[in-house]
Each structure stands twice: as structure tokens, then as C-alpha cells.
Amino acid sequence: MFSEKHGNILHGILLIALFSCAAFYLADTQPARSLSFSPLILGILLGMLYANSLRNHLPETWVPGILFCSKQLLRAGIVLYGFRLTFQSVAAIGAPAIGIDAAVVAGTLLLGVLLGRALKMDRDLALLTSTGSAICGAAAVLGAEPVVKAAPHKTAVAVSTVVIFGTVSMFLYPALWRAGILGLTPEQMGLYTGATLHEVAHVVGAGNAMGAEIADGAVIVKMIRVMMLAPVLLVMSLLLARRTKGGAGRAKVTIPWFAFGFLAVIGFNSLDLLPEAAVAGINSFDTFLLTMAMTALGAETSIEKFKRAGAKPFLLAGLLYLWLLGGGYLLSRWIL
């Protein structure tokens, strides 16, 4: 028998699951497919719709279930995300992809921190926005949230910034490619696309619009970027602990165990022990978990909190976007 407390948590989880199912349904419609809007993106939008409409009319006792989705389910989703990758795919694409990905990730994070200070932004929000721009959009923001220990509304704002600029890029890159403005070979364009677009969905959408020759390389380059999430989170945790160290006290390091789980799953998947159908099923389940986490974050975000964040997060994301466009382009031409 469930206690009343467990029943209330279950109510919150079921509410988020219901919104997540709606996100999957909407993602399968023609308008959403044409824009390459994934269930994750639609989930946070539905969660925000709930936060600004029904939230005040439902029991507060359901909140723990919503928080469970934005914390525990989030970490489980990040771990299972590793089933999308193998170490063999990294070896196949070679050193150029690893080199440009490392330069883009390190450069974006460093620039984001410096610009955040210059703009006098909230430190947590600047770090989340920079991480999302540097690695893999919403999934990276979600992964960094437990390490940064940011408030849910800050996470939602950071996700919104990378979604906006990533979506712009998804349409811009194919247009630039078809117009012949960039002057890149298909191999260079695949490298450029995978190393600079925000979301995996954005890379898939833009790559498919430019042809399979570009899409295949772009996706692998992007997934190498995703693999860098784990070491980035570990370094971030160590640096944050050193920064918050006070007096003679010892700083507490938040070990992102889920990030190590993410790498362990990649290693297991590299052994090719599971049939493709099983891996595909796990990936579908993982997408649902991450969609629930995104929906829960949206459910904790009201318009008032967006107003409180102001325009600076979007300005920071825009400046980082310009760096990705220009810096990534130069790196792509230089490496290949």
C-alpha cells in the first residue's frame, strides 16, 4: 500500500508523464516535424504552459513528484543517453573531429564565463547557458544542473536560449550551403555542422537538408561532442568547489556520478552485446525520461521568473552563437 506521501509524489509524476505523452504526440505532427522540434523541446513548452496556467489550481502536494522528474529521472536519462554512442564511432571519424570538438567546447565555455562576468550575469545562469551552447544544447544544460545546483527556472531559461539559436542555425546552415557562400567541401561542412550546432536534433535536421554525405559525418562529430559532457562536468565540479571554498574549510566536490555512468554505458554499448532492436528500445525509453525531465523543468518556470532573468542570458547565448558560427567555420577550414 502506498502512503499518502508516496501517492502525492505519484500524482506529480503521472501529471508530468501525461504532458510528456502529449509532447510526443505533438512532435509527430507535420508542423513540428518540419521545424525538427523534438519531444524534449515541446515538453518544456508544455511544462511552461502548465506553470503559467493550471499550476495554481492543483495541489502543492504534487510538487515533490514534479521535482523527482527534474532530478532523479534526469540523471537516469543522461546515463542511458550513452546507448546512442560507441567508442568505435569516435575512432572512425578520426582526430580532426576530436580536435575541433575540443576546441569548440573549451573555447565556448571559456568565452561564456568571461562574457558572463562582463555582462554581470548570474554565475549559475551564465555557466548553464555556456555549457548548453558548448556541448549538446538542452541535454548538456540538464546534465550540468545537478553540478551547478541552479534553481529550476535558471535551467529553463538556459535551455530556452540554446533552443532558439540552435533552431536558427538548423535553417541557416542548409541555406548557406545551397547558396555556396561558405566554400566548404562536404567533409568540412559535416565537421562544421556537427561541431557547432546545439542539439543533436538540430544536427540531424540540418544534415538531412544538405544530404547524406554531410549528415553522416555531422552526426558522428556531434556525438563526440556529447561524449565530452562527462569530463566537462567533472572539471566543472572541481572548479566550483575550489571557488566556493571558504577560510580553512574544505570545499565539497560534487561528483557527477551519473556522468561516469554515461561513459560506462558508452563502453558497454561499444561491446555490441545487445541487438539493435533492444538498443533502439532503450533509446526510445531514454527520450521519454529526458522529455519528462524537460517538462518538469518547464513546470517550475513561470513568466515572472523569465522576466527576472532579463535579456542578458539571450544576449550571452547570441554572442556565443556568433563565436560558434565564425570560430567553428575557421576551425573547419583549418583542420581539413
Side-chain angles (χ1 to χ4, degrees):
M1 296 269 313
F2 282 115
S3 66
E4 183 178 353
K5 178 181 178 182
H6 289 153
N8 288 329
I9 292 177
L10 184 60
H11 286 148
I13 294 174
L14 289 176
L15 176 69
I16 296 301
L18 179 63
F19 276 108
S20 300
C21 289
F24 273 86
Y25 174 79
L26 292 173
D28 199 39
T29 61
Q30 183 57 40
R33 287 200 303 268
S34 64
L35 294 173
S36 292
F37 276 4
S38 67
L40 279 74
I41 296 172
L42 293 170
I44 197 170
L45 293 176
L46 290 176
M48 291 172 61
L49 179 64
Y50 157 76
N52 292 280
S53 57
L54 298 175
R55 178 63 183 269
N56 295 330
H57 302 286
L58 293 175
E60 279 295 314
T61 52
W62 291 18
V63 173
I66 296 174
L67 294 177
F68 175 84
C69 294
S70 66
K71 302 292 184 182
Q72 280 74 17
L73 291 189
L74 162 63
R75 292 172 179 142
I78 294 296
V79 171
L80 293 178
Y81 202 84
F83 277 103
R84 290 171 166 83
L85 305 167
T86 64
F87 290 126
Q88 290 90 330
S89 62
V90 176
I93 200 68
I98 298 174
I100 190 172
D101 280 340
V104 166
V105 170
T108 305
L109 287 171
L110 178 60
L111 183 61
V113 170
L114 294 176
L115 288 174
R117 290 178 181 174
L119 294 172
K120 297 181 180 179
M121 278 182 61
D122 176 89
R123 186 191 69 181
D124 293 347
L125 186 51
L127 194 53
L128 289 174
T129 302
S130 303
T131 304
S133 298
I135 304 175
C136 53
V141 176
L142 292 174
E145 189 270 342
V147 176
V148 179
K149 296 184 176 66
H153 76 274
K154 295 180 183 178
T155 305
V157 170
V159 167
S160 299
T161 63
V162 296
V163 166
I164 289 172
F165 288 102
T167 302
V168 170
S169 293
M170 185 179 65
F171 294 107
L172 179 62
Y173 281 32
L176 294 174
W177 169 255
R178 286 191 290 267
I181 295 174
L182 297 175
L184 299 176
T185 66
E187 186 180 4
Q188 289 173 327
M189 192 64 200
L191 197 66
Y192 180 42
T193 302
T196 56
L197 260 66
H198 299 65
E199 297 274 352
V200 175
H202 293 148
V203 173
V204 172
N208 288 336
M210 292 182 284
E213 187 178 7
I214 293 175
D216 293 344
V219 170
I220 295 175
V221 173
K222 178 62 181 178
M223 298 317 279
I224 294 174
R225 244 172 105 197
V226 173
M227 290 180 66
M228 295 180 178
L229 178 62
V232 164
L233 293 181
L234 180 59
V235 172
M236 187 183 300
S237 178
L238 293 170
L239 292 177
L240 288 175
R242 181 179 298 178
R243 183 177 296 177
T244 56
K245 183 177 180 180
R250 193 169 186 81
K252 182 180 178 181
V253 178
T254 301
I255 303 296
W257 296 112
F258 64 92
F260 290 100
F262 170 71
L263 287 178
V265 168
I266 295 174
F268 176 80
N269 196 40
S270 300
L271 300 176
D272 199 23
L273 299 177
L274 296 179
E276 290 185 10
V279 174
I282 292 172
N283 288 340
S284 296
F285 176 67
D286 178 52
T287 300
F288 188 74
L289 288 183
L290 289 175
T291 300
M292 288 184 66
M294 292 283 280
T295 306
L297 287 170
E300 290 296 305
T301 305
S302 63
I303 295 298
E304 288 73 20
K305 292 177 180 177
F306 262 94
K307 291 179 179 177
R308 193 187 313 160
K312 289 181 179 179
F314 295 92
L315 176 58
L316 173 62
L319 293 172
L320 293 177
Y321 174 64
L322 293 177
W323 144 249
L324 290 171
L325 283 175
Y329 174 75
L330 293 175
L331 286 169
S332 299
R333 291 188 67 93
W334 175 67
I335 288 181
L336 286 181

